[in-house]
Amino acid sequence: MSDRPYYIAGNWKMHKTRSQAAELAGALVTQLKDGKHKYLVAPSFTLLETVAPILKGTNIRLGAQNCAAEEQGAHTGEVSVLQLKDLEVQTVILGHSERRHIYHEDDALINKKLRLALQHGFEVILCVGELLEEREAGKAEQVCETQTVKGLEGVAAGDLGRIVIAYEPVWAIGTGKTATPEDADAIHAFVRKVLAKLYGQAAADKILIQYGGSVKPENAAQLMAKENIDGALVGGAALKADTFVPIAKFA
Ligand code: PGA
């Protein structure tokens, strides 16, 4: 087993009103108080101000699901790192497959956002992962390598402590299809090799790589048992304490 800590993150996506968010955040704070791992929830931008005071001083970090590539200016509909910092957000999720494939964010844009977020002191969860047709064409590794290398372009080794990678095979997101622990671990090991090529083995060994894609209470422990799987980025099952807490406290 590696000595990397586990990091379990909940991506609430475009769900919940303020009262629902406050209720879930409150339940998580109570039920994860004695949790042994690193935790995060990422609510919608409109919920951050509600959730921030509930998480403050607890063992659950506050994350945002995206940020703009520019600090400020004429960017209608975008949210800046300065605004996120003002709300005490600590982490930004970037390159989620829904951003890549529905909103056409490319590696260059994601990299620009990532460098800006790092510059402003945020931790970044960089999501990578292949589409079903890419997996079937034998290109899963190639896609993950490109997204990792381009996503991290220009990132100094000294900033790697604030980088987390989330491997999220697109065909497993919200579909109920989970990658087998073996398949997921193989890509995680491969991504770690890519990181070692970029930054050296010692640095690569310290980087947390989360798995995402239909993680549930029933499959969390088997996934986490794998050498290169250091946590989870959870979507659907993060929307209720009843399903997120057992994942966060997997045994
Ligand atoms: P899911 O989503 O757990 O609902 O598959 C994961 C994610 O998109 O981060």
Side-chain angles (χ1 to χ4, degrees):
M1 288 265 66
S2 79
D3 54 5
R4 293 181 293 272
Y6 286 104
Y7 189 0
I8 314 290
N11 172 8
W12 295 359
K13 305 193 180 183
M14 197 174 67
H15 292 284
K16 301 201 180 287
T17 59
R18 287 176 297 167
S19 63
Q20 292 166 340
E23 189 184 326
L24 176 56
L28 295 180
V29 165
T30 307
Q31 295 178 48
L32 292 180
K33 211 182 316 183
D34 58 345
K36 289 196 263 323
H37 311 302
K38 182 174 175 181
Y39 303 119
L40 169 133
V41 296
S44 298
F45 293 132
T46 58
L47 306 173
L48 292 170
E49 192 167 7
T50 301
V51 172
I54 299 171
L55 300 186
K56 203 178 168 103
T58 73
N59 59 346
I60 308 175
R61 299 171 68 86
L62 181 63
Q65 298 170 17
N66 191 15
C67 69
E70 304 293 337
E71 225 165 62
Q72 56 189 319
H75 293 279
T76 303
E78 291 290 293
V79 176
S80 142
V81 283
L82 301 176
Q83 295 165 327
L84 296 179
K85 223 194 292 196
D86 188 42
L87 292 172
E88 298 181 68
V89 168
Q90 297 157 290
T91 302
V92 184
I93 298 172
L94 291 173
H96 190 279
S97 66
E98 286 146 22
R99 299 303 320 170
R100 291 179 189 268
H101 300 294
I102 307 175
Y103 297 100
H104 307 292
E105 293 194 10
D106 63 13
D107 288 315
L109 180 70
I110 293 162
N111 175 253
K112 195 169 177 197
K113 294 179 177 197
L114 181 142
R115 283 185 292 158
L116 184 66
L118 286 179
Q119 192 188 314
H120 284 275
F122 291 94
E123 173 184 82
V124 173
I125 298 177
L126 171 66
C127 304
V128 303
E130 80 286 358
L131 297 163
L132 182 59
E133 54 264 41
E134 291 167 334
R135 170 155 287 254
E136 286 172 344
K139 290 187 181 151
E141 290 190 348
Q142 189 189 315
V143 169
C144 292
E145 175 163 21
T146 302
Q147 292 178 352
T148 302
V149 171
K150 293 194 171 173
L152 295 178
E153 210 168 276
V155 172
D159 285 334
L160 287 180
R162 288 183 289 127
I163 293 284
V164 175
I165 306 287
Y167 169 57
E168 301 205 303
V170 182
W171 46 273
I173 296 179
T175 57
K177 282 188 214 160
T178 321
T180 64
E182 291 69 29
D183 284 346
D185 191 53
I187 297 282
H188 284 230
F190 173 77
V191 169
R192 204 176 298 288
K193 242 192 268 173
V194 171
L195 294 168
K197 261 194 273 174
L198 293 173
Y199 296 102
Q201 192 65 51
D205 284 340
K206 288 200 194 109
I207 298 178
L208 303 189
I209 307 179
Q210 298 172 325
Y211 169 78
S214 300
V215 176
K216 306 181 267 270
E218 299 74 41
N219 59 24
Q222 291 101 292
L223 287 160
M224 298 309 129
K226 290 293 174 191
E227 172 66 23
N228 283 288
I229 302 183
D230 308 316
L233 181 53
V234 186
L239 295 175
K240 286 193 194 138
D242 282 359
T243 43
F244 189 67
V245 170
I247 295 172
K249 290 185 164 178
F250 74 91

